[in-house]
């Protein structure tokens, strides 16, 4: 279910990445309203993002503006690296990463943040505090442990799984991959039509913005659910590849009209007026 806080971060992550760039509150309320959220829900979502340290509020007279916090920029950069690399390379059957930690109970927040971000990197939990991924994630995990200040409580192993024993991983419940192909099929059915230039041309800038933002928000969910396991363990690479190709093509094709709409509404940058020739004498 679409949540206004999550959607706001998706939108700002796509359109507000220059340092110091800001949006005005009324524009963001209008932007969120285009997805069906009420003014009250939109304003509440923006306030909660401030409370969570992801947005910073600036006032100029009676006007309120928002900028992304340094923490938000860091999280969005990490997300971009994952989203725009996801599904672009063949999984390496002999490259696996295991993370084991002993983060104390009085640091529950860091434990929860670690779990969420490990899942985003394709890890599955095989036991409490033991996580495994079907790829070499050493550098990403090192950076994550440092960012959460829990390096002293975690250990990482790199290696391969003995052939013929891989299926036990699926039985462990580390990942839920049963409906992945269905989810990819739904994504392709919803957005694949816009691979056709004629279909894209029918969209005005507002519609292009809404389609692109919804598609990005939907695609962001795949890294949480798809560990990119080798085909020998969990077939599904073909559906993933088609979804990635669809996403890449449409995200780029709709970039210009979507960005123009966001700038006009949220940044107050109206398009230049079209020159009208004087009537013939």
């Amino acid at each position: 279910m679409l949540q206004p806080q999550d959607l706001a971060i998706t939108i700002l992550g796509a359109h507000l990445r220059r340092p110091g760039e800001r949006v005005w509150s009324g524009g963001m309320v209008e932007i969120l309203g285009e997805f069906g959220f009420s003014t009250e829900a939109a304003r509440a979502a923006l306030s909660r993002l401030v409370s969570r340290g992801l947005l910073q509020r600036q006032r100029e007279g009676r006007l309120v503006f928002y900028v992304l916090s340094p923490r938000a920029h860091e999280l969005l950069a990490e997300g971009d690296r994952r989203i725009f690399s996801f599904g672009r390379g063949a999984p390496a059957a002999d490259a696996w990463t295991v993370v084991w930690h002993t983060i104390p109970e009085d640091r529950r927040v860091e434990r929860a943040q670690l779990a969420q971000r490990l899942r985003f990197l394709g890890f599955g939990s095989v036991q409490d505090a033991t996580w495994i991924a079907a790829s070499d994630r050493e550098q990403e995990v090192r950076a994550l442990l440092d960012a959460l200040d829990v390096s002293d409580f975690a250990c990482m192993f790199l290696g391969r799984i003995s052939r013929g024993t891989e299926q036990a991983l699926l039985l462990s419940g580390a990942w839920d991959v049963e409906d992945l192909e269905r989810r990819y099929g739904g994504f392709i059915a919803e957005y694949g039509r816009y691979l056709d230039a004629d279909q894209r041309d029918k969209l005005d800038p507002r519609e292009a913005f809404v389609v692109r933002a919804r598609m990005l928000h939907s695609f962001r969910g795949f890294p949480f659910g798809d560990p990119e396991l080798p085909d020998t363990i969990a077939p599904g690479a073909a559906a993933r590849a088609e979804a990635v190709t669809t996403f890449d093509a449409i995200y780029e094709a709709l970039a210009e009209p979507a960005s123009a709409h966001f700038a006009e509404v949220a940044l107050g940058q109206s398009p230049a007026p079209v020159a009208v020739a004087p009537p013939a004498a």
Side-chain angles (χ1 to χ4, degrees), residues 23-36:
V23 293
W24 72 286
S25 60
M28 276 306 296
V29 168
E30 183 177 341
I31 285 288
L32 291 173
E34 293 173 349
F35 298 85

Side-chain angles (χ1 to χ4, degrees), residues 78 99 101 103 107-125 127-132 141 144-145 148 150 174-175 223-225:
E78 178 186 314
V99 176
H101 70 80
I103 300 174
R107 300 191 64 179
R108 289 189 295 271
V109 172
E110 288 86 348
R111 286 170 62 101
Q113 290 176 338
L114 179 63
Q116 181 182 34
R117 291 165 74 175
L118 284 176
R119 286 202 180 279
F120 190 57
L121 290 173
F123 281 82
S125 176
Q127 276 186 343
D128 184 37
T130 304
W131 298 78
I132 186 167
V141 172
L144 174 56
L145 295 174
L148 296 175
V150 294
W175 304 281
F224 284 104

